[in-house]
Amino acid sequence: MAKLTLSVNTGSGDAPKTEQVSVGNKLSITKKVAVEQPADTVQGGGASLSQKIDNPNPASPSELADDVARWLIAQFGEDVFNELLKNPNLKLPYAEDDITAESWLERGIKTLFTQDNIAHIYKVTANIGQSNAADANIDAAVDERMAQKVEKYNAKFQELRSNMETLEGEKAELQSRLNKTLEADAFVKTIFRSADSETDAQKRIARTLEDAIGQGDDDELPTFVTRLAKGWAALQYILQTSAEIGDDKEKLEVVYPALTNLLTCISGCYVTDRRMVLELVAKHCNEFFSDYDFISPEQTLNADPDIHNATGLGNAQIREGVTFCVVRRDTKKTVKYADVKVNK
């Protein structure tokens, strides 16, 4: 009867363990089985050394592809890839008909790119995410700084506004005092009225100024009145002394510069009654001439080629007059055109 021997090596100790099964004489089968040692045990020299192996398990290329797909969807929107999904030229093999854009994109990435390329793409997307986060932090810091500055400037503006309101109140009070101390009636009567002879226009000038000062609505009025008084006094002197000149043409050459001087005196003073006063000044001068009529340069709001030196002015709006216009009374022909300053 044959002998069958089965030998099993357990891998522990110096000699393998042998399990024998005898099935008679002359035939022997021996099987040695090695038992694996633990990974953290190193044997040698009769002693064992345990080692701790730190080997984290990184994400697989498949997981990275999923992350890349989700990032692309988030950046560009699902509609973009839904269009690609419907393109018959981009059909993926073994893809379901109802596959989502994200799943389709995941499979496409895994199909088209190698594992190394997928890892590289993931790294790039991660860097972009970190850059976007850094930019967001910078924007937030800038917004915070700007908000602080705006708050600071608003506080400063409110302070200046409060100071301005205080100054405006003080200015109004001082202006009111000035108007009262001006003694309008006495001043106007002394400068603009005449004891002996006066024209109707002259009387109207005085009444217009008295009414305006009495209302006290125009802050520029005291300045306008005092400057007008200076020009008016010089004009009145010329008109009175030129009465001895018999020829109107010669008289005009004397009076015209006095009228120009009056306009220079009130230059920049734009009060409500300015146009009315200048129109009355022109009518006052007309009483001293028989051949000429004077027209205020501010009689019209816009440049008029019939009375103004309007070359190149078009229909520009008049800001103030520089000289008066003079026309012949009989023919209405313009003898001297008015120069004006216009708004640009």
Side-chain angles (χ1 to χ4, degrees):
M1 186 174 184
K3 181 180 180 182
L4 177 61
T5 302
L6 176 61
S7 175
V8 180
N9 185 4
T10 63
S12 61
D14 295 333
K17 291 184 178 179
T18 302
E19 181 179 351
Q20 294 183 348
V21 179
S22 296
V23 189
N25 299 324
K26 298 182 181 179
L27 179 59
S28 174
I29 298 177
T30 302
K31 182 178 180 181
K32 296 181 179 180
V33 180
V35 179
E36 294 183 357
Q37 298 179 2
D40 58 351
T41 302
V42 179
Q43 294 181 352
S48 64
L49 175 64
S50 293
Q51 292 181 331
K52 180 180 180 181
I53 301 177
D54 187 6
N55 185 20
N57 185 21
S60 65
S62 177
E63 292 174 343
L64 296 181
D66 295 347
D67 291 340
V68 171
R70 283 190 291 272
W71 184 87
L72 291 172
I73 292 290
Q75 294 297 316
F76 301 102
E78 194 170 2
D79 292 341
V80 174
F81 299 100
N82 277 329
E83 293 295 328
L84 296 177
L85 174 60
K86 296 175 183 178
N87 190 327
N89 297 322
L90 299 177
K91 289 290 185 180
L92 294 176
Y94 310 110
E96 303 85 350
D97 293 336
D98 58 347
I99 190 172
T100 64
E102 184 176 329
S103 298
W104 177 85
L105 188 56
E106 292 171 2
R107 292 193 186 184
I109 292 172
K110 296 172 185 177
T111 301
L112 296 175
F113 298 100
T114 64
Q115 295 181 1
D116 291 341
N117 287 340
I118 292 174
H120 177 69
I121 294 171
Y122 175 82
K123 183 178 180 181
V124 171
T125 59
N127 290 337
I128 292 175
Q130 293 175 357
S131 177
N132 290 340
D135 291 342
N137 292 335
I138 293 174
D139 291 342
V142 171
D143 291 342
E144 183 178 358
R145 292 285 299 276
M146 288 300 296
Q148 293 174 353
K149 288 186 177 181
V150 169
E151 183 179 358
K152 179 180 178 181
Y153 292 150
N154 284 339
K156 188 65 176 178
F157 173 77
Q158 292 299 331
E159 180 183 354
L160 293 175
R161 182 176 181 179
S162 178
N163 293 339
M164 182 65 71
E165 291 175 353
T166 301
L167 292 175
E168 287 292 341
E170 294 176 355
K171 177 184 177 182
E173 183 179 355
L174 291 174
Q175 190 66 57
S176 177
R177 292 179 182 178
L178 177 62
N179 291 342
K180 292 178 181 179
T181 57
L182 187 59
E183 297 181 357
D185 291 342
F187 180 82
V188 171
K189 288 177 181 178
T190 301
I191 301 298
F192 295 96
R193 302 296 296 269
S194 299
D196 45 8
S197 62
E198 58 184 10
T199 65
D200 181 66
Q202 184 177 353
K203 295 177 183 178
R204 293 177 59 188
I205 290 174
R207 287 197 300 267
T208 299
L209 295 176
E210 288 172 356
D211 292 341
I213 294 175
Q215 293 175 2
D217 296 334
D218 200 329
D219 294 341
E220 290 290 328
L221 190 61
T223 301
F224 175 78
V225 172
T226 53
R227 291 186 180 182
L228 177 66
K230 181 179 179 180
W232 174 264
L235 174 64
Q236 277 292 85
Y237 174 78
I238 295 296
L239 288 172
Q240 296 297 332
T241 56
S242 66
E244 301 177 358
I245 302 176
D247 183 58
D248 270 9
K249 187 174 181 180
E250 293 182 11
K251 187 188 300 184
L252 177 63
E253 297 305 317
V254 176
V255 173
Y256 195 77
L259 277 171
T260 301
N261 175 67
L262 183 144
L263 290 173
T264 302
C265 288
I266 62 173
S267 178
C269 296
Y270 308 118
V271 297
T272 304
D273 294 300
R274 176 187 171 103
R275 293 181 64 232
M276 174 62 72
V277 169
L278 291 180
E279 185 176 346
L280 292 173
V281 169
K283 290 181 178 180
H284 174 69
C285 292
N286 291 343
E287 298 295 328
F288 295 85
F289 288 82
S290 58
D291 296 336
Y292 301 105
D293 282 329
F294 294 84
I295 300 176
S296 167
E298 299 179 21
Q299 179 173 297
T300 60
L301 294 176
N302 299 94
D304 183 353
D306 290 335
I307 63 175
H308 298 116
N309 283 325
T311 304
L313 298 180
N315 194 36
Q317 189 177 47
I318 297 173
R319 185 169 74 251
E320 66 176 58
V322 177
T323 60
F324 276 76
C325 173
V326 182
V327 299
R328 285 197 62 87
R329 189 169 295 175
D330 53 356
T331 63
K332 303 301 179 184
K333 181 180 178 180
T334 301
V335 178
K336 292 183 180 292
Y337 286 92
D339 292 323
V340 294
K341 296 179 182 179
V342 298
N343 295 323
K344 297 181 179 180

